[in-house]
């Protein structure tokens, strides 16, 4: 009798609740490590199922990025309020996106986390330089024309000759470029029914998001299969060697956090302590929930109410920034690209660094609405133009992503708040607390 009650109490919804718990990935990781170390034959048998899980995640990327980017850019271009700030928005977005990508590149290049892998580990990983697309090894006498050819090749791959072919082939980079141009053109149309198209795109976006939510529910199982297969093939030492990259990545996000805080402080015209207190809630939510969209209400409240920025501008720019300008993802993609180049012992030249900046920005925009390991599947947009394969390091990045994801989300949220502060006008250059006290005394 008791057994039946227990069995009936643990239904499908109970399983979904357990899998949806953020801590459920911990037993998945531990089980994957155990199987990879002690059950190698079983782990290798699970490899196809892990690959299938990755294919399910990649399946949702194109409809998600096309609908999100087209809708966001289109509504920005058609907004009357945006026209007032359009020049300021473009300048701040460009400086911010380029800035975080350069920080990611420089810090990773100086610290060289890819140097922690010895030759035997790299051989085990099968990290053989793939030069099928581009050759980035530069001879001492390499000329400028060669670098220009690399950059021109990237630009040609960026612009689709036929968007339907790009969609059928899963070319996310070309699809992203078309979505930006198409959204801008649609936003400038005078037709009154264009909002219906935006609503349809919003439905596609929400549907893709819901589909990803369903797939992410089974992340503990998929992560277990993927990790078991990786450990059985490469060994546990590979994950240990990734600790340097984890430390470097957290350092990058800390630097970006400091710069963003300084921008907010200067624009708000109040004390640094007031800024930190006002941003406490979105900062904690970003680290705990690992979802930038969950932080939207608290971010808007912190800027408009606590720091006294113009409410209408804040309401427009904060959602747009968190959707389009994924600063944390851009910095992470730039850092990871340099890291993978270090694994391959590639000496990246000026054109390669420029490609990383451009591709990281586009790839970051392609993660609109995506969270967790879904963002990692977009990294191929950056590595492919460089002639570097993603497959060899993807599972390593997935394994360490539970540690990095909270800081990447904080990079998105906090830098979006800073960008909004740089765009919006402050209603008062004095501290909000001081202003309220002054008003009370006058009364």
């Amino acid at each position: 009798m008791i057994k039946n009650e227990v069995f009936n109490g643990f239904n499908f919804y109970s399983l979904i609740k357990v899998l949806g718990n953020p801590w459920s990935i911990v037993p998945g990781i531990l089980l994957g490590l155990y199987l990879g170390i002690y059950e190698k034959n079983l782990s290798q048998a699970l490899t196809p199922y892990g690959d299938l899980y990755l294919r399910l995640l990649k399946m949702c990327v194109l409809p998600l990025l096309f609908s999100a980017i087209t809708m966001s850019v289109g509504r920005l271009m058609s907004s009357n309020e945006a026209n007032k700030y359009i020049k300021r928005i473009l300048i701040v977005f460009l400086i911010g996106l380029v800035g975080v990508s350069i920080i990611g590149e420089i810090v990773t290049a100086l610290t060289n986390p890819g140097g922690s892998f010895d030759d035997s580990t790299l051989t085990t990983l099968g990290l053989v330089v793939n030069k099928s697309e581009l050759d980035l090894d530069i001879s001492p006498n390499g000329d400028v024309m060669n670098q220009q050819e690399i950059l021109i090749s990237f630009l040609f791959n960026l612009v689709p000759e036929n968007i339907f072919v790009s969609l059928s082939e899963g070319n996310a980079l070309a699809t992203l470029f078309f979505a930006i141009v198409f959204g801008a053109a649609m936003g400038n149309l005078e037709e009154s029914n264009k909002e219906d198209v935006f609503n349809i795109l919003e439905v596609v976006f929400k549907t893709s998001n819901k589909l990803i939510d369903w797939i992410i529910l089974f992340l503990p199982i998929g992560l277990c299969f993927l990790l078991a297969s990786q450990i059985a093939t490469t060994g546990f030492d590979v994950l240990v060697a990734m600790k340097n990259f984890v430390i470097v990545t957290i350092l990058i996000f800390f630097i970006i956090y400091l710069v963003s805080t300084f921008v907010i402080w200067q624009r708000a015209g109040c004390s640094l302590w007031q800024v930190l207190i006002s941003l406490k809630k979105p900062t904690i939510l970003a680290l705990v929930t690992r979802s930038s969209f969950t932080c939207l209400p608290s971010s808007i409240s912190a800027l408009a109410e606590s720091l006294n920025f113009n409410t209408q501008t804040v309401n427009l720019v904060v959602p747009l920034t968190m959707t389009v300008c994924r600063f944390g993802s851009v910095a992470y993609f730039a850092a990871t690209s340099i890291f993978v180049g270090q694994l391959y012992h590639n000496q990246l030249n000026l054109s390669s660094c420029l490609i990383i900046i451009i591709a990281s920005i586009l790839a970051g925009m392609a993660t609109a609405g995506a969270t967790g390991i879904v963002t990692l599947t977009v990294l191929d947009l950056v590595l492919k133009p460089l002639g570097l394969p993603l497959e060899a390091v993807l599972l390593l990045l997935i394994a360490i992503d539970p540690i990095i994801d909270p800081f990447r989300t904080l990079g998105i949220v906090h830098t979006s708040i800073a960008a909004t502060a740089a765009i919006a006008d402050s209603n008062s250059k004095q501290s909000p607390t001081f202003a309220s006290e002054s008003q009370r005394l006058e009364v």
Side-chain angles (χ1 to χ4, degrees):
M1 182 69 179
I2 296 178
K3 289 183 178 180
N4 291 334
E5 291 179 357
V6 173
F7 180 78
N8 292 332
F10 190 80
N11 52 25
F12 177 75
Y13 296 101
S14 300
L15 176 62
I16 295 298
K17 187 176 181 180
V18 171
L19 292 175
N21 191 314
W23 291 102
S24 62
I25 63 173
V26 175
I29 292 175
L30 295 177
L31 180 58
L33 291 174
Y34 172 81
L35 293 176
I37 296 173
Y38 299 105
E39 301 291 341
K40 295 186 182 296
N41 292 333
L42 176 60
S43 299
Q44 292 174 354
L46 295 175
T47 300
Y49 302 101
D51 294 340
L52 178 61
Y53 185 78
L54 278 181
R55 289 178 69 91
L56 286 172
L57 286 174
K58 292 181 179 181
M59 174 185 70
C60 308
V61 171
L62 281 183
L64 184 71
L65 77 88
F66 180 80
S67 57
I69 299 302
T70 304
M71 177 180 61
S72 300
V73 174
R75 282 180 168 165
L76 169 65
M77 300 302 294
S78 61
S79 172
N80 294 327
E81 185 67 21
N83 292 334
K84 178 183 177 181
Y85 294 98
I86 189 70
K87 184 177 180 180
R88 196 183 299 180
I89 288 173
L90 292 176
I91 293 174
V92 171
F93 282 8
L94 180 61
I95 293 175
L97 290 169
V98 173
V100 296
S101 60
I102 290 177
I103 291 174
E105 282 187 332
I106 292 177
V107 174
T108 310
L110 293 177
T111 54
N112 191 26
S116 59
F117 291 82
D118 54 30
D119 292 338
S120 61
T121 304
L122 295 177
T123 302
T124 304
L125 276 173
L127 293 177
V128 179
V129 177
N130 178 5
K131 300 182 181 179
S132 58
E133 296 184 43
L134 296 174
D135 186 357
L136 301 181
D137 284 333
I138 306 300
S139 62
N141 298 322
D143 54 15
V144 178
M145 182 59 68
N146 185 42
Q147 298 184 32
Q148 290 179 347
E149 289 175 354
I150 294 174
L151 184 58
I152 291 173
S153 175
F154 168 74
L155 294 176
F156 268 93
N157 290 328
L158 176 64
V159 181
E161 183 178 0
N162 187 322
I163 184 58
F164 297 104
V165 174
S166 299
L167 286 169
S168 64
E169 294 177 349
N171 189 338
L173 190 62
T175 303
L176 176 63
F177 178 81
F178 178 80
I180 295 173
V181 177
F182 189 77
M186 187 182 299
N188 280 284
L189 288 177
E190 299 296 334
E191 277 73 6
S192 58
N193 58 353
K194 66 181 179 182
E195 189 61 31
D196 296 336
V197 180
F198 290 144
N199 291 333
I200 293 174
L201 290 172
E202 187 172 2
V203 171
V204 174
F205 170 75
K206 291 181 177 179
T207 303
S208 302
N209 245 331
K210 176 61 68 176
L211 185 57
I212 287 177
D213 289 341
W214 290 349
I215 298 173
I216 289 295
L217 281 175
F218 300 94
L219 176 60
I221 300 173
L223 187 57
C224 173
F225 293 166
L226 290 167
L227 196 56
S229 173
Q230 177 70 23
I231 297 300
T233 304
T234 64
F236 185 72
D237 293 339
V238 177
L239 287 180
V240 176
M242 290 292 289
K243 68 181 184 300
N244 291 340
F245 179 67
V246 172
I247 295 172
V248 170
T249 304
I250 295 176
L251 174 62
I252 290 171
F253 288 128
F254 180 69
I255 295 173
I256 293 174
Y257 183 89
L258 292 179
V259 174
S260 300
T261 303
F262 178 80
V263 172
I264 300 169
W265 175 38
Q266 292 298 308
R267 290 289 297 170
C270 60
S271 67
L272 179 60
W273 179 251
Q274 177 68 29
V275 170
L276 295 175
I277 292 298
S278 301
L279 299 178
K280 180 178 67 174
K281 187 173 181 180
T283 298
I284 294 175
L285 280 175
L287 292 172
V288 173
T289 65
R290 298 178 296 173
S291 171
S292 57
F293 292 110
T294 304
C295 305
L296 268 175
S298 59
S299 300
I300 293 173
S301 176
L303 283 169
E305 299 175 12
S306 301
L307 298 178
N308 208 20
F309 283 94
N310 182 271
T311 303
Q312 289 185 343
T313 309
V314 168
N315 289 336
L316 170 70
V317 178
V318 171
L320 177 69
T321 310
M322 288 193 186
T323 303
V324 178
C325 298
R326 312 283 287 177
F327 295 102
S329 299
V330 171
Y332 184 64
F333 290 156
T336 306
S337 301
I338 297 294
F339 170 71
V340 175
Q342 291 169 352
L343 291 180
Y344 285 95
H345 301 294
N346 269 351
Q347 296 179 354
L348 301 180
N349 56 35
L350 181 61
S351 294
S352 304
C353 293
L354 184 59
I355 288 175
I356 290 176
I357 292 175
I358 298 173
S360 295
I361 292 173
L362 294 174
M365 295 175 66
T367 64
T371 57
I373 66 172
V374 181
T375 62
L376 301 180
T377 61
V378 187
L379 184 59
D380 194 44
L381 293 180
V382 190
L383 297 182
K384 191 173 182 180
L386 298 172
L388 300 173
L390 173 63
E391 291 75 12
V393 294
L394 180 59
L395 298 185
L396 299 177
L397 298 176
I398 290 176
I400 63 173
D401 200 62
I403 302 173
I404 292 178
D405 191 20
F407 298 97
R408 185 172 59 232
T409 304
L410 179 61
I412 295 172
V413 173
H414 197 71
T415 315
S416 295
I417 294 174
T420 305
I423 294 168
D425 294 320
S426 178
N427 293 328
S428 174
K429 281 298 181 181
Q430 60 181 343
S431 169
T433 304
F434 177 78
S436 61
E437 289 179 356
S438 300
Q439 293 171 359
R440 179 175 56 81
L441 290 174
E442 290 176 359
V443 174

